[in-house]
Amino acid sequence: MKKERQIAMKRLAAVMVSSAIALTACGGQGASSGEYDANSKATITWLNILHTASPPTDTILNKLEEKTNSDITFSWIPDASKEERINTALASDSLADIVTLTMLDNSSVRNSLKSGLFWEVEPYLKDYPNLAKISPDTIKSASIGGKLYGIPFQKDLARNGVTLRKDWLDKLGLEVPKTTDELMEVARAFTEDDPDGNGQDDTTGFVDRNDLVYGAFKTLGSYFGTPNNWQVSADGKMTPEFMTDGYLKTMNYMKQLYDKGYMNKDFAVTAKTDQQQKFAQGKAGIYVGALFDSKNLLNMSKGVQDNMQLVMANDITSTGKESDRAIWAANNGIGGLLAFPRTEVKDEAQLKRILQFVNDLLDEDSYALMTYGIEGTHYKLDDKDAATIINTDLWQQEVQPFAASRPKESGFKIHDADPLKQQADKMIADNANYAVLNPAYSLDSETYNTQGSELQKIITDATYKYILGEIDEAGFKEALETWKSSGGNSIIAEYEAAYKQAQGQ
């Protein structure tokens, strides 16, 4: 009965959080002591985030199960609704053996981690060869209150930059921009000077989405010197990013793009998939986001914009000075946690077996499966360990949904043969030299834990309203005062105290 249920669940198109309660009944393999058999087959349920339109078929799943000696049942949550769904799952205790938590700044998530709902795992890492390689800095950044409540997703430190239509630049006689003013001029030209040569007014410079973090706003903010979430002074005073000059300059820049029509007017309600489709269809020529998205954008353009050529920029500043170059580091290189609820992982033996499973996901073979698929079916490999996808449609259906589930995304021998992806990887590595960290990422604030998400909404709403022209600078400052009086002042004070304590003051 239990096995039949697992098989049925695997065949569902998508299993939402409402189904997760059913999964908890069949999760884990249980044991009566801290000892476990590393060679025993594990039965594992996984509440995971889906970043593609549909979940994968069983092809790669079956290979992963064979590789890790496990029987895995996924419960997929669409990325667009992850905050609501994860909050609901935490509140209703409808979880799974493994829970993907990507929003470590979410109040509900932080409270659940601090409450003891999940196992603390740092003491166990040394017992597993791949987990033991996780750096102390990564562990520190991923910890809350000094404790590590899951295996961190190890991401590249700073992945973002600007992708532009090179063929449009060439047609209009423009160079790759080095400053925000030059970027604005490119946006103007891509909007007004008919870059696709069809004689119609049907293009914009930027195409952006409804995300002030992973969309254009935060990367542009880096170019204007905005700190990464928080700024700390020499004497330990903490200032939120939205109270800095850089943040205001970024809002003004975005407002100018919006007012002049140099970006899509519907950016505030545009999803990431729609943003990428608009770019791939030739409706815009500037995309701000992860640099490795360039390869995907070019692939998406096949059959629609076959003449598309792309170029990337990661060295833009507002001043033109190399010394001012900066790029925000997303969560200090932490993509979230693979966390293990005590309600599902009943004892230490079961925890150890699941940690063995995660350790196995960090093997080269597992990474290759979750990134490229099966050699000869999805990709081919040359004598330099460079992989080329040979069936894009099949890869998108069977492999791509697993990419976001990799506990680590770089540092493996196998690599992409695509020149654009190789260039993106080099630029991302270069970004690390200019990465701006969030000094408060591993600090704890009780007020933030309980009210942080609600308070952030005040700032997010005010930022959008400012860009859209619904409020002026005075109105934005009113929102700042509301944030401070509603709990923001307490967050500042608590972070300052936590920072001083962490510095041994």
Side-chain angles (χ1 to χ4, degrees):
M1 184 82 164
K2 171 177 169 182
K3 183 66 177 177
E4 290 174 356
R5 180 186 300 175
Q6 291 169 337
I7 293 172
M9 292 296 281
K10 287 179 187 177
R11 291 176 179 169
L12 286 175
V15 186
M16 300 299 111
V17 174
S18 57
S19 304
I21 298 175
L23 295 180
T24 62
C26 60
Q29 62 186 36
S32 58
S33 71
E35 299 302 319
Y36 80 105
D37 182 0
N39 297 315
S40 64
K41 188 170 186 176
T43 301
I44 295 172
T45 59
W46 188 344
L47 186 59
N48 204 3
I49 309 298
L50 183 69
H51 292 264
T52 54
S54 58
T57 60
D58 285 354
T59 304
I60 300 302
L61 175 60
N62 292 339
K63 290 290 186 180
L64 282 174
E65 288 181 328
E66 180 181 343
K67 167 73 176 64
T68 61
N69 191 25
S70 60
D71 191 350
I72 314 164
T73 302
F74 282 102
S75 179
W76 295 104
I77 297 174
D79 180 65
S81 58
K82 64 185 176 185
E83 185 164 8
E84 174 189 356
R85 300 282 190 170
I86 288 293
N87 287 345
T88 299
L90 292 171
S92 61
D93 193 22
S94 49
L95 301 169
D97 299 333
I98 303 175
V99 179
T100 296
L101 298 175
T102 58
M103 306 170 296
L104 297 187
D105 56 351
N106 176 276
S107 301
S108 296
V109 170
R110 291 184 73 87
N111 281 331
S112 295
L113 291 169
K114 288 184 62 182
S115 71
L117 176 62
F118 296 93
W119 284 86
E120 183 186 355
V121 300
E122 185 176 357
Y124 301 96
L125 301 186
K126 65 182 185 302
D127 299 327
Y128 305 87
N130 292 327
L131 299 182
K133 295 176 184 176
I134 300 174
S135 72
D137 287 343
T138 297
I139 292 172
K140 180 179 178 181
S141 291
S143 296
I144 295 178
K147 295 184 178 182
L148 185 66
Y149 293 107
I151 303 302
F153 284 97
Q154 300 170 71
K155 302 287 187 180
D156 290 306
L157 196 58
R159 302 179 293 173
N160 283 35
V162 181
T163 298
L164 307 102
R165 287 287 298 261
K166 182 181 185 301
D167 51 325
W168 287 8
L169 289 172
D170 292 344
K171 181 178 184 299
L172 299 177
L174 297 170
E175 299 294 329
V176 177
K178 293 285 189 180
T179 68
T180 50
D181 285 345
E182 292 175 358
L183 183 61
M184 181 68 73
E185 171 56 20
V186 171
R188 183 208 64 76
F190 281 4
T191 304
E192 298 178 350
D193 294 349
D194 192 22
D196 57 1
N198 67 356
Q200 300 179 33
D201 182 16
D202 58 356
T203 60
T204 62
F206 284 77
V207 59
D208 197 25
R209 62 181 185 263
N210 58 343
D211 189 336
L212 294 178
V213 179
Y214 296 101
F217 187 85
K218 199 167 180 68
T219 296
L220 291 173
S222 294
Y223 304 156
F224 287 103
T226 309
N228 187 1
N229 288 52
W230 289 86
Q231 187 176 65
V232 59
S233 65
D235 60 355
K237 297 296 182 183
M238 304 286 290
T239 303
E241 62 180 359
F242 45 81
M243 290 185 182
T244 65
D245 289 341
Y247 195 93
L248 181 60
K249 289 177 181 177
T250 308
M251 288 198 300
N252 285 329
Y253 191 86
M254 289 281 288
K255 179 173 171 53
Q256 183 177 352
L257 290 172
Y258 180 82
D259 289 346
K260 291 182 176 293
Y262 300 165
M263 66 186 297
N264 53 312
K265 288 290 188 180
D266 61 350
F267 83 98
V269 293
T270 297
K272 180 180 180 179
T273 53
D274 294 329
Q275 174 200 21
Q276 294 184 334
Q277 284 292 342
K278 288 180 179 181
F279 188 95
Q281 292 164 4
K283 295 180 180 179
I286 304 172
Y287 175 94
V288 183
L291 288 163
F292 53 68
D293 283 342
S294 58
K295 175 191 172 182
N296 297 331
L297 293 170
L298 191 62
N299 286 337
M300 290 170 65
S301 74
K302 303 302 184 188
V304 183
Q305 293 277 303
D306 285 330
N307 295 323
M308 180 183 287
Q309 298 176 23
L310 301 180
V311 65
M312 295 168 287
N314 71 333
D315 57 356
I316 295 173
T317 66
S318 61
T319 63
K321 298 177 181 178
E322 172 73 14
S323 58
D324 289 332
R325 186 175 163 188
I327 183 67
W328 66 284
N331 302 318
N332 292 4
I334 307 300
L337 295 174
L338 290 173
F340 318 108
R342 289 180 176 273
T343 54
E344 310 304 319
V345 182
K346 301 294 186 181
D347 54 36
E348 192 177 48
Q350 187 181 351
L351 173 66
K352 288 181 176 180
R353 183 60 185 89
I354 293 174
L355 288 174
Q356 179 66 52
F357 166 77
V358 177
N359 180 84
D360 293 344
L361 290 184
L362 286 161
D363 285 345
E364 181 85 28
D365 291 346
S366 298
Y367 172 82
L369 276 172
M370 300 173 80
T371 306
Y372 301 106
I374 301 169
E375 187 176 2
T377 300
H378 303 100
Y379 74 96
K380 63 181 180 180
L381 198 65
D382 67 17
D383 57 1
K384 296 181 179 179
D385 294 311
T388 300
I389 302 300
I390 57 178
N391 190 327
T392 300
D393 290 340
L394 191 65
W395 176 83
Q396 289 176 338
Q397 180 184 16
E398 298 184 344
V399 184
Q400 188 179 21
F402 286 103
S405 302
R406 301 168 300 177
K408 186 180 179 184
E409 67 178 19
S410 61
F412 295 89
K413 181 174 64 175
I414 190 172
H415 59 280
D416 206 302
D418 182 86
L420 205 58
K421 178 61 165 58
Q422 290 185 358
Q423 181 63 23
D425 289 342
K426 290 180 181 178
M427 296 175 82
I428 289 170
D430 182 46
N431 274 352
N433 299 312
Y434 306 92
V436 179
L437 302 182
N438 174 9
Y441 190 74
S442 61
L443 301 180
D444 199 39
S445 159
E446 186 60 34
T447 305
Y448 185 88
N449 292 342
T450 57
Q451 297 177 243
S453 299
E454 176 186 343
L455 290 173
Q456 182 58 44
K457 191 174 185 303
I458 296 172
I459 303 303
T460 299
D461 289 348
T463 302
Y464 276 119
K465 287 179 179 179
Y466 186 92
I467 295 170
L468 298 175
E470 297 174 11
I471 61 173
D472 57 12
E473 186 174 345
F476 185 76
K477 289 181 177 178
E478 286 182 14
L480 298 185
E481 292 303 317
T482 300
W483 179 87
K484 289 193 289 186
S485 63
S486 300
N489 282 333
S490 296
I491 293 177
I492 293 173
E494 289 163 7
Y495 272 151
E496 288 177 347
Y499 180 80
K500 290 178 179 178
Q501 182 178 8
Q503 298 299 310
Q505 300 177 8

